[in-house]
Short mmCIF file of all heavy atoms in Angstrom, two decimals:
data_model
loop_
_atom_site.label_atom_id
_atom_site.label_comp_id
_atom_site.label_asym_id
_atom_site.label_seq_id
_atom_site.Cartn_x
_atom_site.Cartn_y
_atom_site.Cartn_z
N LYS Y 316 -5.47 -7.61 5.82
CA LYS Y 316 -4.25 -7.26 5.09
C LYS Y 316 -4.45 -5.99 4.29
O LYS Y 316 -5.54 -5.74 3.77
CB LYS Y 316 -3.94 -8.43 4.13
CG LYS Y 316 -2.60 -8.39 3.49
CD LYS Y 316 -1.54 -9.08 4.31
CE LYS Y 316 -0.16 -8.86 3.75
NZ LYS Y 316 0.35 -7.49 3.94
N GLY Y 317 -3.39 -5.24 4.15
CA GLY Y 317 -3.43 -4.04 3.31
C GLY Y 317 -2.31 -3.10 3.66
O GLY Y 317 -1.80 -3.12 4.78
N GLY Y 318 -1.94 -2.29 2.72
CA GLY Y 318 -0.77 -1.43 2.88
C GLY Y 318 -0.96 -0.27 3.84
O GLY Y 318 -2.05 -0.02 4.34
N MET Y 337 -9.31 -3.87 -0.61
CA MET Y 337 -8.44 -4.98 -0.19
C MET Y 337 -9.26 -6.24 0.06
O MET Y 337 -8.84 -7.35 -0.29
CB MET Y 337 -7.64 -4.63 1.07
CG MET Y 337 -6.47 -3.69 0.88
SD MET Y 337 -5.28 -4.11 -0.40
CE MET Y 337 -4.76 -5.74 0.07
N LYS Y 340 -10.25 -7.59 -3.33
CA LYS Y 340 -9.04 -8.03 -4.03
C LYS Y 340 -8.57 -9.40 -3.51
O LYS Y 340 -8.32 -10.32 -4.28
CB LYS Y 340 -7.96 -6.98 -3.81
CG LYS Y 340 -6.71 -7.15 -4.61
CD LYS Y 340 -5.62 -6.12 -4.24
CE LYS Y 340 -6.12 -4.70 -4.14
NZ LYS Y 340 -5.02 -3.71 -4.09
N LYS Y 352 -6.53 -1.27 5.59
CA LYS Y 352 -5.62 -0.29 5.00
C LYS Y 352 -5.25 0.74 6.05
O LYS Y 352 -6.02 1.00 6.96
CB LYS Y 352 -6.31 0.44 3.83
CG LYS Y 352 -5.35 1.10 2.89
CD LYS Y 352 -4.73 0.09 1.96
CE LYS Y 352 -3.92 0.70 0.86
NZ LYS Y 352 -3.82 -0.22 -0.28
N VAL Y 390 -1.87 -7.41 9.13
CA VAL Y 390 -0.52 -7.42 8.54
C VAL Y 390 -0.39 -6.34 7.46
O VAL Y 390 -0.85 -6.54 6.33
CB VAL Y 390 -0.21 -8.82 7.95
CG1 VAL Y 390 1.20 -8.87 7.38
CG2 VAL Y 390 -0.40 -9.91 9.01
N PRO Y 391 0.23 -5.22 7.78
CA PRO Y 391 0.41 -4.17 6.78
C PRO Y 391 1.46 -4.52 5.72
O PRO Y 391 2.11 -5.58 5.78
CB PRO Y 391 0.89 -2.96 7.58
CG PRO Y 391 0.66 -3.29 9.01
CD PRO Y 391 0.69 -4.78 9.11
N ALA Y 392 1.61 -3.63 4.77
CA ALA Y 392 2.54 -3.79 3.65
C ALA Y 392 2.80 -2.40 3.09
O ALA Y 392 2.18 -1.44 3.51
CB ALA Y 392 1.90 -4.69 2.59
N PRO Y 393 3.68 -2.29 2.10
CA PRO Y 393 3.91 -0.96 1.52
C PRO Y 393 2.73 -0.50 0.67
O PRO Y 393 1.94 -1.30 0.18
CB PRO Y 393 5.13 -1.18 0.60
CG PRO Y 393 5.69 -2.50 0.96
CD PRO Y 393 4.59 -3.30 1.52
N ASP Y 394 2.64 0.79 0.53
CA ASP Y 394 1.68 1.41 -0.40
C ASP Y 394 2.34 2.72 -0.83
O ASP Y 394 3.55 2.89 -0.68
CB ASP Y 394 0.33 1.64 0.31
CG ASP Y 394 -0.81 1.86 -0.68
OD1 ASP Y 394 -1.31 0.88 -1.24
OD2 ASP Y 394 -1.18 3.03 -0.93
N THR Y 424 4.49 -7.33 5.69
CA THR Y 424 5.13 -7.88 4.49
C THR Y 424 5.74 -6.73 3.66
O THR Y 424 5.52 -5.57 3.96
CB THR Y 424 4.13 -8.67 3.63
OG1 THR Y 424 3.06 -7.80 3.26
CG2 THR Y 424 3.59 -9.88 4.37
N ARG Y 436 9.03 -9.47 -4.27
CA ARG Y 436 7.92 -8.69 -3.71
C ARG Y 436 7.93 -7.26 -4.23
O ARG Y 436 6.88 -6.69 -4.52
CB ARG Y 436 7.96 -8.69 -2.16
CG ARG Y 436 6.91 -7.80 -1.49
CD ARG Y 436 5.49 -8.23 -1.82
NE ARG Y 436 4.44 -7.35 -1.29
CZ ARG Y 436 4.00 -6.26 -1.89
NH1 ARG Y 436 4.49 -5.89 -3.05
NH2 ARG Y 436 3.03 -5.54 -1.35
N ASN Y 577 -5.14 1.84 -7.24
CA ASN Y 577 -6.43 1.53 -6.62
C ASN Y 577 -7.39 2.68 -6.89
O ASN Y 577 -7.08 3.84 -6.60
CB ASN Y 577 -6.26 1.36 -5.11
CG ASN Y 577 -5.55 0.06 -4.75
OD1 ASN Y 577 -5.94 -1.01 -5.21
ND2 ASN Y 577 -4.49 0.15 -3.95
N ASN Y 602 -4.14 -5.04 -9.97
CA ASN Y 602 -3.01 -4.75 -9.08
C ASN Y 602 -2.91 -5.73 -7.91
O ASN Y 602 -2.24 -5.43 -6.91
CB ASN Y 602 -3.03 -3.29 -8.63
CG ASN Y 602 -4.16 -2.99 -7.66
OD1 ASN Y 602 -4.55 -3.82 -6.85
ND2 ASN Y 602 -4.69 -1.78 -7.72
N GLY Y 605 0.66 -7.53 -5.79
CA GLY Y 605 1.37 -7.12 -4.57
C GLY Y 605 0.92 -7.96 -3.38
O GLY Y 605 1.72 -8.58 -2.68
N VAL Y 606 -0.38 -8.00 -3.17
CA VAL Y 606 -0.88 -8.73 -2.00
C VAL Y 606 -0.69 -10.24 -2.18
O VAL Y 606 -0.50 -10.98 -1.20
CB VAL Y 606 -2.34 -8.35 -1.66
CG1 VAL Y 606 -3.34 -8.99 -2.59
CG2 VAL Y 606 -2.64 -8.72 -0.21
N SER Y 609 2.72 -10.80 -1.13
CA SER Y 609 2.72 -10.58 0.32
C SER Y 609 2.28 -11.85 1.05
O SER Y 609 2.81 -12.22 2.10
CB SER Y 609 1.75 -9.46 0.70
OG SER Y 609 2.35 -8.20 0.59
N1 LIG X 87 -0.70 -1.82 -0.90
C1 LIG X 87 -0.82 -2.92 -1.79
C2 LIG X 87 -2.23 -2.99 -2.35
O1 LIG X 87 -2.91 -2.01 -2.43
C3 LIG X 87 -0.32 -4.23 -1.18
C4 LIG X 87 -1.08 -4.71 0.00
C5 LIG X 87 -0.43 -5.91 0.69
O2 LIG X 87 0.52 -6.47 0.17
O3 LIG X 87 -0.93 -6.27 1.76
O4 LIG X 87 -2.68 -4.00 -2.79
#
Side-chain angles (χ1 to χ4, degrees):
K316 192 89 188 72
M337 285 308 304
K340 189 185 313 194
K352 199 79 171 203
V390 182
D394 198 79
T424 59
R436 175 61 185 85
N577 287 309
N602 71 34
V606 76
S609 275

